[in-house]
C-alpha cells in the first residue's frame, strides 16, 4: 500500500499512526502458545527515504511497565505504547537524536542518544535491564526477497531468557544460542506453514548460508524430543520479511511470547 511520508518531529505534530487519538492501536495478546500478535511493519523496508533522514519504529518490550510515551528530540513520536506493541514507521533526521521514554504522566524512565544513519531502517526496542530500561537499536535492512522466497529472523528481547535455540520438530536447528539483545541474521525461507520451538539444546545449528526449506506437513503439531519452553506456528507468505521478536511473558525464567513483524 502507498505510504504517505510522515512529518519530521516538531513539523506538524505527532508522527504516530493509527486511529486511536490517545495512542497506538494495540492488538490483544493471544493465549500462550497461540503464536503472538502480528503487526504490519510499515511495508517500506528497503525503500529509499528522503535525503538526510532515517526511518524508525519503536517497540515496547519493557515488561511490567505501564504504557510508554516516546519523544524524539523533545517531540512526541508515540503517545501511549502498551507492552508488546509497535509503532508504525516515522521519519527522523539522520544523526544523533535524543530519545526520551516516559509514562503517561511524564515521569522520565530513560533519556538516551541514538545514532541514525541517513536512508536507514531500524527498530528501536525499549527493553528491561537490571537497572531499569534501555534502548536497543535493531537494523531492519535485508536483501529483498526474490524468486518466490521470503526472509525470516528471530530477535531475543526477553530479559528473563537464557541462550536459546530455534528448532523445528524435524530436527533442524535454525538458530543456536540466541541470547538476550541478539538479533539473528536474516535467512531465506520457502513460503508455507512452519512450526518453530524454543529450547536449550546441544544440537548443532544448520549452516548460516543455508535457506529454510519447506516443512513437511506431517511434522506440524509434532513436538521435538527436547524440552521446549515456547513455540510458534507461522504461515510464511511469498515476498515478505518476517521478524519474530521474543518478549517476556512472566516472571519465571524462559517465560516468553512471540510478537511478529511483517514487512515487504
Amino acid at each position: 500500500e502507498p505510504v504517505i511520508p510522515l512529518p519530521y518531529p516538531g513539523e506538524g505534530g505527532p508522527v504516530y499512526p493509527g486511529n486511536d487519538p490517545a495512542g497506538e492501536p494495540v492488538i490483544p495478546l493471544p493465549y500462550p502458545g497461540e503464536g503472538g500478535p502480528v503487526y504490519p511493519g510499515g511495508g517500506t523496508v528497503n525503500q529509499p527515504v528522503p535525503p538526510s533522514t532515517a526511518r524508525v519504529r519503536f517497540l515496547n518490550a519493557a515488561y511490567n511497565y505501564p504504557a510508554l510515551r516516546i519523544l524524539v528530540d523533545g517531540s512526541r513520536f508515540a503517545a501511549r505504547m502498551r507492552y508488546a506493541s509497535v509503532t508504525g514507521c516515522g521519519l527522523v533526521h539522520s544523526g544523533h537524536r535524543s530519545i526520551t521514554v516516559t509514562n503517561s504522566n511524564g515521569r522520565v524512565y530513560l533519556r538516551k542518544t541514538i545514532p541514525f544513519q541517513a536512508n536507514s531502517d531500524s527498530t528501536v526496542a525499549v527493553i528491561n535491564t537490571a537497572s531499569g530500561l534501555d534502548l536497543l537499536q535493531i537494523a531492519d535492512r535485508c536483501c529483498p526477497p526474490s524468486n518466490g522466497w521470503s526472509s525470516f529472523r528471530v530477535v531475543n528481547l526477553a530479559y528473563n531468557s537464557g541462550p536459546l535455540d530455534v528448532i523445528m520438530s524435524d530436527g533442524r536447528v535454525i538458530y543456536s544460542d540466541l541470547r538476550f539483545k541478539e538479533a539473528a541474521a536474516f535467512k531465506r525461507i520457502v513460503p508455507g506453514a512452519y512450526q518453530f520451538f524454543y529450547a536449550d539444546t546441544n544440537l548443532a545449528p544448520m549452516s548460516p548460508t543455508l535457506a529454510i526449506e519447506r516443512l513437511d506437513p506431517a511434522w506440524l503439531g509434532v513436538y521435538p524430543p527436547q524440552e521446549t519452553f515456547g513455540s510458534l506456528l507461522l504461515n510464511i507468505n511469498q515476498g515478505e520479511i518476517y521478524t519474530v521478536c521474543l518478549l517476556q511473558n512472566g516472571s519465571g525464567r524462559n517465560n516468553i511470547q512471540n510478537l511478529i513483524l511483517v514487512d515487504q
Side-chain angles (χ1 to χ4, degrees):
E1 297 180 355
V3 176
I4 301 174
L6 296 173
Y8 300 126
E11 296 183 357
V15 297
Y16 61 85
N19 52 14
D20 179 0
E24 317 305 329
V26 175
I27 301 175
L29 292 175
Y31 295 108
E34 291 189 356
V38 179
Y39 287 85
T44 56
V45 169
N46 297 314
Q47 298 297 317
V49 299
S52 300
T53 63
R55 189 161 34 227
V56 62
R57 60 189 170 192
F58 287 85
L59 188 155
N60 185 356
Y63 180 75
N64 208 27
Y65 276 79
L68 302 177
R69 178 182 297 165
I70 307 293
L71 298 95
V72 178
D73 287 340
S75 295
R76 188 178 64 184
F77 193 102
R80 189 183 65 208
M81 281 189 70
R82 298 186 181 94
Y83 180 64
S85 67
V86 64
T87 71
C89 292
L91 296 177
V92 299
H93 289 291
S94 58
H96 288 76
R97 309 267 69 87
S98 175
I99 311 299
T100 304
V101 180
T102 77
N103 65 10
S104 58
N105 295 324
R107 177 188 174 186
V108 176
Y109 292 125
L110 172 68
R111 182 175 289 115
K112 185 175 182 178
T113 299
I114 298 288
F116 293 96
Q117 294 185 351
N119 195 34
S120 66
D121 289 271
S122 63
T123 298
V124 176
V126 186
I127 60 173
N128 296 92
T129 70
S131 58
L133 297 182
D134 197 5
L135 298 176
L136 178 67
Q137 187 177 33
I138 306 161
D140 286 333
R141 286 291 175 104
C142 76
C143 295
S146 60
N147 299 323
W149 293 86
S150 298
S151 294
F152 176 87
R153 69 171 172 179
V154 178
V155 179
N156 187 353
L157 302 177
Y159 175 71
N160 62 327
S161 73
L164 56 86
D165 301 331
V166 182
I167 64 178
M168 293 197 292
S169 50
D170 61 4
R172 281 178 286 172
V173 181
I174 309 303
Y175 299 109
S176 176
D177 291 333
L178 191 66
R179 299 174 182 271
F180 173 57
K181 299 197 295 185
E182 183 178 357
F186 279 107
K187 284 181 174 289
R188 292 193 307 163
I189 186 169
V190 177
Y194 291 85
Q195 190 163 17
F196 301 99
F197 299 90
Y198 312 119
D200 182 8
T201 77
N202 58 0
L203 299 175
M206 61 189 292
S207 170
T209 61
L210 288 180
I212 304 174
E213 300 288 349
R214 191 184 306 274
L215 179 68
D216 190 314
W219 288 104
L220 292 176
V222 177
Y223 275 68
Q226 294 80 14
E227 181 180 357
T228 64
F229 41 82
S231 65
L232 170 65
L233 184 63
L234 183 63
N235 188 64
I236 301 291
N237 296 318
Q238 179 178 324
E240 294 184 331
I241 302 170
Y242 293 82
T243 296
V244 178
C245 299
L246 303 182
L247 308 182
Q248 187 168 342
N249 190 34
S251 57
R253 184 170 175 81
N254 291 330
N255 290 143
I256 59 176
Q257 66 187 35
N258 300 291
L259 186 148
I260 303 98
L261 307 180
V262 184
D263 297 288
Q264 296 177 345

